[in-house]
Amino acid sequence: MALMKSWVGSANSADCPFPLNNLPYGVFSVDDGEARCGVAIGDMILDVTEAEAQGIVDLAGTPLFDVPYWNDLMEQGPAVWAALRDRLTTLLAEGAAERDEVEPLLVPMARATLHMPMAVSEYTDFYAGRNHAFNVGTMFRGPENALPPNWLHIPIGYNGRASSVVVSGTDIRRPWGQLKGPDDAMPRFVPCARFDIELEMGAIVGTPSEGPITVAEADANIFGYVLLNDWSARDIQAWEYQPLGPFQAKATATSISPWIVTKAALEPFRCDTPAREFELLDHLKDCGPMLYDIDLAVTMAPAGKPATTIARTNYKEMYYSAAQQLAHHTTSGCPMTPGDLLGSGTISGAEKSERGSLLELSWGGKEPITLDTGEIRSFIEDGDTLTLTGAARGDGYTIGFGDCTGTVLPALADPYKR
Ligand code: CA
């Protein structure tokens, strides 16, 4: 697929993350104004809330964008999703008949503050990148027991906290927690000393479901994707994770990128999941190319210093697709709702430079990394800014997500001081 040209000139360059081919959905405000729904085009945002108020966008005969989140559109289902994308494409395409009405509804992105694009109804995080699972399992249990026996048969996950999901740009406070190091006789309650990132993609469920759904149905129910950073307290995790999995180690915050890139925009980048050691049971089998070719990277910047790229990988490294994770999630009859967020699990490639967490990059702190600015890191230090980026590259265009970034603040001196 080639670049589709827009009358918004900045959208037409090959490296612009928001060409007409993308049209990602976000929520923005300007100055002290109210938060509104918008779609990114070039270096501008089209105010969709205002476009609807003026009757330029009218899809369901009922307002969908008079609220500062995209869940109402998600609930309408795939036919209305497609109708909106068609309408926005028509309005913003080169030579559009309605350019004069639409142009006053554009806001420079540089002037806008971006907010959470949806109300997160639920949040589940998976563990479905094979290299990551193998690396972490090797560090925690040795290479023979690295992958648990279930790993190659089901996408392992845990129920996370929707309340902890924050938009890119939100500062992250280093947590306190209970941990017990190898040399400690008794557990201690202290600030996390091994605070980490996890490079993930988040899939957003649009269409609700009640009972078990097939992988094909699950794929159809997914509305779009964001970048996702699952901030992780490794020392707290190591002490608490058995037998019920992570709890407080993952509850501080999860950051997402501000723009929901629709499944429609990613369609040209579909690719197959990797070869499988064991055939999956029928209800989890692939029903076509289920992953996407999306380049991913992580940068780290100490306070006041330039950023260093510390990892590069690709979403196609996943062993299970989001549709397979969603299908598995419903096997019990678990209901899924619009705005349900599914973290992919950390995405790591086979090479050392492709690892999506500091735990892996520094091999549990045994092999610290050196940044371009000379600083040495095993885990995150106070003031460090961690940023995830993602891009799918087409013929003369790029599909971007907007950065997923956060700066780590020092732990409180006393978390119980009132
Ligand atoms: Ca995770």
Side-chain angles (χ1 to χ4, degrees):
M1 192 171 194
L3 171 76
M4 296 159 64
K5 283 204 167 175
S6 170
W7 51 262
V8 179
S10 58
N12 297 332
S13 80
D15 54 358
C16 173
F18 307 121
L20 188 58
N21 305 60
N22 193 347
L23 299 178
Y25 302 141
V27 170
F28 74 101
S29 63
V30 177
D31 301 327
D32 294 328
E34 62 179 5
R36 320 170 69 80
C37 291
V39 59
I41 180 74
D43 58 6
M44 309 293 276
I45 300 172
L46 171 63
D47 185 338
V48 178
T49 296
E50 185 60 26
E52 183 182 65
Q54 294 187 13
I56 297 170
V57 168
D58 179 12
L59 297 166
T62 178
L64 299 177
F65 309 115
D66 56 346
V67 287
Y69 43 80
W70 285 80
N71 301 55
D72 287 6
L73 174 70
M74 296 177 200
E75 286 179 22
Q76 294 289 322
V80 176
W81 306 348
L84 176 66
R85 185 170 171 82
D86 282 353
R87 181 66 180 144
L88 293 171
T89 302
T90 301
L91 293 173
L92 292 166
E94 198 172 57
E98 289 156 294
R99 174 174 175 171
D100 288 350
E101 291 94 277
V102 174
E103 203 155 5
L105 307 183
L106 293 180
V107 175
M109 202 176 282
R111 284 189 57 206
T113 302
L114 298 174
H115 306 277
M116 281 292 291
M118 81 271 199
V120 179
S121 58
E122 310 259 5
Y123 168 48
T124 304
D125 195 29
F126 286 89
Y127 186 58
R130 185 168 184 172
N131 293 311
H132 172 73
F134 182 79
N135 287 338
V136 173
T138 300
M139 276 182 265
F140 279 40
R141 292 180 296 274
E144 303 77 22
N145 302 310
L147 284 187
N150 53 7
W151 201 95
L152 294 167
H153 302 279
I154 49 170
I156 298 174
Y158 65 95
N159 289 308
R161 293 287 301 173
S163 61
S164 68
V165 182
V166 297
V167 73
S168 172
T170 305
D171 289 338
I172 308 299
R173 177 73 66 183
R174 180 184 299 274
W176 285 67
Q178 187 182 117
L179 54 90
K180 184 175 177 296
D183 302 326
D184 296 331
M186 289 289 287
R188 300 175 291 140
F189 185 73
V190 290
C192 169
R194 292 159 71 95
F195 202 48
D196 198 359
I197 54 146
E198 290 194 335
L199 167 62
E200 305 191 24
M201 295 285 298
I204 298 162
V205 175
T207 309
S209 57
E210 287 291 335
I213 58 175
T214 66
V215 173
E217 288 165 342
D219 194 65
N221 286 1
I222 293 172
F223 179 73
Y225 291 84
V226 289
L227 306 175
L228 185 149
N229 181 359
D230 175 26
W231 300 93
S232 299
R234 299 302 181 192
D235 38 11
I236 298 169
Q237 183 181 356
W239 173 233
E240 74 175 3
Y241 88 103
Q242 289 180 312
L244 288 185
F247 186 50
Q248 292 305 289
K250 304 283 192 172
T252 299
T254 297
S255 301
I256 62 168
S257 52
W259 297 104
I260 302 172
V261 174
T262 61
K263 190 176 54 184
L266 293 171
E267 234 12 80
F269 305 97
R270 278 190 183 263
C271 56
D272 289 319
T273 47
R276 299 193 185 281
E277 211 158 307
F278 300 103
E279 205 178 339
L280 296 175
L281 295 185
D282 283 346
H283 68 287
L284 292 177
K285 278 200 171 93
D286 296 66
C287 64
M290 313 232 62
L291 289 175
Y292 300 96
D293 183 355
I294 302 170
D295 289 331
L296 301 167
V298 183
T299 70
M300 186 175 206
K305 299 275 181 73
T308 299
T309 299
I310 57 172
R312 289 182 194 279
T313 183
N314 192 292
Y315 184 52
K316 65 187 177 190
E317 295 286 349
M318 298 304 303
Y319 195 76
Y320 296 100
S321 64
Q324 286 163 315
Q325 294 172 330
L326 175 54
H328 174 61
H329 208 319
T330 67
T331 49
S332 57
C334 178
M336 305 301 292
T337 55
D340 229 313
L341 177 64
L342 307 184
S344 61
T346 309
I347 306 161
S348 293
E351 303 299 320
K352 187 169 181 179
S353 63
E354 298 171 350
R355 295 173 182 169
S357 68
L358 286 162
L359 177 69
E360 296 164 87
L361 286 164
S362 73
W363 206 253
K366 292 194 177 80
E367 301 168 16
I369 59 170
T370 304
L371 305 180
D372 296 346
T373 45
E375 282 84 356
I376 294 178
R377 288 288 185 275
S378 288
F379 293 95
I380 299 170
E381 307 265 325
D382 293 342
D384 288 351
T385 298
L386 281 296
T387 304
L388 315 184
T389 59
R393 296 176 208 286
D395 178 12
Y397 74 99
T398 302
I399 299 290
F401 292 78
D403 290 353
C404 178
T405 191
T407 299
V408 173
L409 305 179
L412 296 171
D414 176 356
Y416 293 106
K417 191 175 174 197
R418 299 286 182 271

